[in-house]
Amino acid sequence: MGVTSSTTKEPTALKRVPRDLAVALNPEELDAHDRQWTPLKIIIWSAISLLGGLSWVMLAVVRGETVNAIWFVFAAICTYLIGYRFYSKFIEKHIVRPDDRRATPAEYKADGKDFAATDRRVLFGHHFAAIAGAGPLVGPVLAAQMGYLPGTIWIIVGVVLAGAVQDYLILHFSMRRGGRSLGQMARDELGVIGGTAALIATLVIMVIIVAILALVVTNALAESPWGVFSVGMTIPIALFMGCYLRFFRPGKITEISIIGFVLLIAAIVGGGMVAGTDWGQTYLLLDKVTIAWGIIIYGFIAAILPVWLLLAPRDYLSTFMKIGTIGMLAVAIVIIRPEINVPAVSSFATTGTGPVVAGTLFPFLFVTIACGALSGFHALIASGTTPKLIQKERQTRFIGYGGMLMESLVAIMALVAALSIDRGIYFAMNASPALTGGTVQGAVAFVNGLGLTGVNLTPSMLTDMATNVGEESIVSRTGGAPTLAVGLSHIMQQLVGGTSMMSFWYHFAIMFEALFILTAVDAGTRVARFMLQDSLGNFFPKFKNTSWRPGAWAATAIMVAAWGAVLLMGVTDPLGGINTLFPLFGIANQLLAAIALAVCMAIVAKRGLFKYLWVVALPLGFAAVVTISASFLKIFSATPGIGYFAQNRAFSEALAAGETSFGTAPSVLAMQAVVRNTMVQGVLSIVFVVLAIIVILTAIQATVRAYRNHSSATSEDDAVQSQIYAPAGFVMTPPEKVLQAEWDALPVEKKTRVKGH
């Protein structure tokens, strides 16, 4: 069952424990349970397959003038279930080969701060909350301008074959290596050149990713007292939950879950009340720069506190909100069955002249959707906090592969919500202020001037929608989050409350999104700290000790200062910040995914598993082609709307000619900001793609070398006998229930053998 390299021999360091202290299921029991196919099982999986097939036919083949939104839900869920049950199991059996008799880093490195064995359900909540940031909410909303079909296919199929595979493998490989970061694993597996390139790339890309995540939160909370109060209240609620579980009622997961949920709903309702008061308008109506500074300060504090105090309970709390809201939206779509009046593939997909995101379907659809299908940021979380918290090796499938499938469902729901609103309103909300003038009249003139079939936007449509959702204006509310909130409120009010409830649902969605993304900011900052400490540890060994507080504080301060500077640049960007930076975020994120998959390929090759190398090589090849193509276009394109340097040149020439306004910039200062920002973004694009190419080439070299040498080498930590037991999935299987019952019957002193849980 367990392996430390490519062989199938049992590790000599592991010995079976007495039955009354069993820490793992017998491999034969596991295999027998997987092979057991009852008539009921056959019927259920046949029904799932048929429903999934019918849904795809309705979306991709029938494609009438309108398409019912329920087919998106059914196609996604059925495909996810099949992928999780069969494809992830295939990967587990042939590549991962987990062994629950081996102790995880959370057990043999337990320190109560960064390494702490955590209940699989709480850890799933933390991991999902950490990986599910702005990408699955914003990317699909922006990509909706290209039509519904390309995005739907990539989000659903891409996650099964690429995104979830990467998350699963990186989580397992990092866990087997003591929770090492992606950059450090690259250095171990690819040598000095590839490893150094990977270390630099992951650090710099991490800065960009966290900054963009924070920028989306800033845009969502700006001028919103309701959102500021509700999101702010989640911090003391999480602190209370952490202390409750740690000191007052250890292990009472269900109990604190109910308490946390009630407090969370109270925070949402209370936010609406506070927003209607004079002091709420006075003290909580904050501009973007103020909110940005607040997030920077929060990011530093959250990253240095013990993980059990704020990060894990807050992520678990936000997961209730995330999964609950997405589940509620999915149910509402099935009940209401809204019709989607958007073409399967729009003209913008081929012309590349879309007002939301410039560029053609290939390659820009894939880098725009980003996290919903494949995300390099996930590899940083899967090699950051999560491998240091996981109890048992077999849980990596549930948390790694399953967590990514859940994020993909979020992306599909975001896409459907964006598609469900009027197309005219969609473009009025997502076009930059420079295009709409920031006014209702300007937005109407711009959108109707696009010449879209069936789109006839009127001023009353925009003002009525703004009134219904409780906002002064919805024009040019870029960033994706406001559009998703409008879509969610539009769907939910048809199920509960009618038009009078749209304001509640809108602000509920804004708080949901801000909470959704902010958890990725604090987890991302902590992971960035781990990465920097790993990197500095190559020169100053003491930094590798994550429990060394001076090193942890210094590394956190450096990373927060870096992403904070990019955040402030985005907040003050005349081009709207998100419209300019999100393509860079998407490309950087996908390049990071290519780096992660390259490291996975090298590890799989070194274990001698060449028969199954295609599992990693195929998504790596696709990600590399897409992201390198997108990078070259952003660097070399002569079209100012696409190329960073082309845009820089156009604005520089306008300044040299004495122009006081040009294109999207209304002033000389704004023009100078565009010149500065586009130069920074262009240089970063060059750095990212060069580093990614170096990593990919060194990974290919390592793979070829392993094949020639018939390698079975490993850089895993030495096996340590586990002394704890925990089930693998969310719901226990019959064999797990039997073993859990035996474990529960043991005396307490024999169950708990590790400090710091």
Side-chain angles (χ1 to χ4, degrees):
M1 175 179 170
V3 293
T4 54
S5 67
S6 63
T7 66
T8 57
K9 295 179 182 178
E10 183 175 298
T12 56
L14 300 181
K15 296 182 175 64
R16 292 194 176 278
V17 295
R19 185 61 183 172
D20 65 339
L21 289 174
V23 296
L25 286 172
N26 186 292
E28 288 75 22
E29 290 181 272
L30 288 171
D31 190 57
H33 180 263
D34 289 339
R35 292 175 179 274
Q36 187 179 17
W37 280 91
T38 64
L40 180 60
K41 265 191 181 180
I42 294 172
I43 292 172
I44 291 173
W45 284 106
S46 297
I48 291 172
S49 302
L50 289 172
L51 179 59
L54 174 62
S55 301
W56 279 112
V57 168
M58 297 302 295
L59 289 173
V61 180
V62 176
R63 297 195 323 190
E65 291 186 7
T66 63
V67 60
N68 199 292
I70 62 170
W71 300 120
F72 292 88
V73 178
F74 291 151
I77 293 176
C78 292
T79 306
Y80 298 153
L81 289 173
I82 292 170
Y84 183 76
R85 172 60 184 84
F86 298 100
Y87 193 52
S88 73
K89 203 70 180 175
F90 174 86
I91 295 171
E92 180 185 62
K93 180 179 179 181
H94 296 291
I95 296 178
V96 173
R97 302 178 180 179
D99 185 349
D100 276 354
R101 290 168 297 144
R102 290 180 63 134
T104 65
E107 183 178 351
Y108 66 81
K109 287 188 174 184
D111 61 7
K113 296 183 180 71
D114 297 316
F115 292 87
T118 304
D119 182 278
R120 68 197 185 283
R121 294 155 296 189
V122 175
L123 184 56
F124 180 90
H126 156 71
H127 181 75
F128 173 67
I131 65 172
L137 298 178
V138 176
V141 172
L142 302 181
Q145 75 165 6
M146 296 187 185
Y148 73 80
L149 188 57
T152 301
I153 293 175
W154 174 235
I155 290 170
I156 298 176
V157 177
V159 72
V160 171
L161 299 179
V165 173
Q166 174 213 255
D167 290 17
Y168 182 18
L169 293 180
I170 287 292
L171 175 58
H172 180 80
F173 293 153
S174 175
M175 177 199 65
R176 278 283 180 95
R177 288 158 178 78
R180 266 173 253 170
S181 67
L182 174 62
Q184 190 58 45
M185 284 197 294
R187 186 177 174 85
D188 294 340
E189 304 297 336
L190 307 182
V192 176
I193 296 176
T196 302
L199 280 170
I200 297 171
T202 53
L203 279 171
V204 179
I205 290 174
M206 187 62 162
V207 168
I208 298 297
I209 290 174
V210 176
I212 302 301
L213 295 173
L215 178 59
V216 176
V217 178
T218 302
N219 287 344
L221 295 182
E223 316 294 336
S224 177
W226 191 337
V228 169
F229 176 84
S230 298
V231 172
M233 285 303 298
T234 62
I235 298 173
I237 293 173
L239 291 171
F240 166 73
M241 291 175 65
C243 293
Y244 190 93
L245 276 178
R246 183 78 170 185
F247 303 114
F248 304 117
R249 302 277 287 172
K252 301 297 182 182
I253 301 296
T254 304
E255 189 175 299
I256 195 58
S257 299
I258 295 171
I259 295 172
F261 177 75
V262 171
L263 292 174
L264 184 61
I265 297 300
I268 299 170
V269 176
M273 296 177 180
V274 169
T277 64
D278 291 337
W279 70 268
Q281 292 293 322
T282 302
Y283 297 108
L284 298 180
L285 189 65
L286 306 176
D287 60 33
K288 291 182 179 180
V289 175
T290 303
I291 292 174
W293 276 109
I295 292 173
I296 290 169
I297 295 169
Y298 165 78
F300 176 80
I301 295 172
I304 62 176
L305 289 175
V307 69
W308 59 265
L309 181 59
L310 177 60
L311 190 65
R314 190 176 188 283
D315 288 356
Y316 181 59
L317 177 66
S318 69
T319 298
F320 273 110
M321 183 77 169
K322 295 176 179 184
I323 296 178
T325 301
I326 293 304
M328 178 180 66
L329 183 58
V331 171
I333 289 171
V334 172
I335 294 173
I336 297 167
R337 301 188 302 280
E339 292 290 332
I340 303 298
N341 296 292
V342 175
V345 183
S346 76
S347 58
F348 296 130
T350 53
T351 64
T353 58
V356 181
V357 177
T360 55
L361 188 152
F362 184 90
F364 290 106
L365 173 89
F366 305 98
V367 297
T368 300
I369 286 176
C371 305
L374 174 64
S375 173
F377 175 70
H378 296 186
L380 302 182
I381 301 296
S383 62
T385 54
T386 307
K388 298 174 176 66
L389 303 174
I390 199 160
Q391 289 174 309
K392 305 295 286 185
E393 289 200 351
R394 288 178 58 239
Q395 293 174 351
T396 52
R397 173 172 167 258
F398 165 57
I399 293 168
Y401 200 97
M404 182 55 193
L405 293 182
M406 182 61 70
E407 172 158 354
S408 182
L409 179 61
V410 172
I412 283 293
M413 293 299 102
L415 179 65
V416 172
L419 295 171
S420 69
I421 65 176
D422 181 85
R423 287 187 82 199
I425 293 176
Y426 167 83
F427 284 108
M429 292 188 69
N430 288 283
S432 71
L435 298 175
T436 65
T439 65
V440 170
Q441 292 75 18
V444 170
F446 169 73
V447 172
N448 289 337
L450 293 173
L452 300 173
T453 304
V455 173
N456 183 25
L457 187 64
T458 64
S460 62
M461 292 170 66
L462 292 175
T463 54
D464 288 348
M465 181 62 78
T467 300
N468 289 339
V469 299
E471 293 287 319
E472 290 186 12
S473 173
I474 60 169
V475 173
S476 294
R477 292 295 301 273
T478 58
T483 303
L484 175 57
V486 168
L488 186 144
S489 65
H490 172 68
I491 292 172
M492 291 307 303
Q493 61 90 14
Q494 298 177 61
L495 183 67
V496 180
T499 305
S500 62
M501 281 286 287
M502 280 193 73
S503 178
F504 170 82
W505 287 119
Y506 175 85
H507 287 93
F508 175 88
I510 287 292
M511 204 225 58
F512 153 72
E513 294 170 304
L515 182 64
F516 206 110
I517 299 165
L518 198 57
T519 53
V521 172
D522 51 29
T525 303
R526 182 177 287 265
V527 170
R529 185 253 285 182
F530 289 146
M531 291 164 55
L532 184 58
Q533 285 189 264
D534 258 354
S535 301
L536 293 175
N538 292 312
F539 309 98
F540 310 101
K542 196 166 184 179
F543 272 95
K544 281 190 179 290
N545 179 10
T546 56
S547 298
W548 182 47
R549 293 297 100 186
W553 285 45
T556 301
I558 292 170
M559 297 308 293
V560 169
W563 66 253
V566 178
L567 168 62
L568 292 171
M569 182 183 78
V571 166
T572 56
D573 187 352
L575 295 179
I578 196 72
N579 300 69
T580 306
L581 288 174
F582 199 84
L584 178 62
F585 162 82
I587 291 171
N589 190 40
Q590 298 299 286
L591 283 172
L592 188 55
I595 290 172
L597 287 167
V599 173
C600 287
M601 181 176 72
I603 292 174
V604 172
K606 287 184 176 183
R607 296 176 68 190
L609 303 175
F610 295 100
K611 183 178 180 181
Y612 307 106
L613 198 63
W614 60 268
V615 171
V616 183
L618 288 180
L620 169 60
F622 184 78
V625 170
V626 165
T627 51
I628 293 173
S629 299
S631 297
F632 274 60
L633 285 171
K634 297 300 288 187
I635 295 167
F636 297 111
S637 175
T639 304
I642 296 176
Y644 285 127
F645 292 111
Q647 197 171 66
N648 177 276
R649 188 163 49 251
F651 278 83
S652 297
E653 291 172 354
L655 280 170
E659 300 284 347
T660 56
S661 64
F662 182 76
T664 56
S667 66
V668 172
L669 285 176
M671 293 167 68
Q672 292 171 340
V674 172
V675 171
R676 181 180 63 251
N677 293 352
T678 50
M679 179 57 69
V680 171
Q681 291 152 6
V683 170
L684 285 175
S685 294
I686 294 173
V687 172
F688 292 162
V689 73
V690 169
L691 291 173
I693 290 173
I694 291 173
V695 173
I696 293 169
L697 290 177
T698 53
I700 293 172
Q701 184 182 41
T703 300
V704 172
R705 190 185 304 117
Y707 180 76
R708 288 175 176 172
N709 297 338
H710 304 288
S711 172
S712 60
T714 178
S715 58
E716 295 177 357
D717 284 3
D718 293 334
V720 177
Q721 175 68 57
S722 175
Q723 298 296 327
I724 62 175
Y725 168 73
F730 186 79
V731 178
M732 286 187 284
T733 62
E736 287 176 332
K737 287 180 180 178
V738 173
L739 182 53
Q740 184 66 58
E742 294 178 10
W743 189 264
D744 291 340
L746 289 173
V748 174
E749 63 271 13
K750 287 190 175 182
K751 293 185 203 175
T752 308
R753 298 187 169 210
V754 183
K755 297 180 181 179
H757 291 348

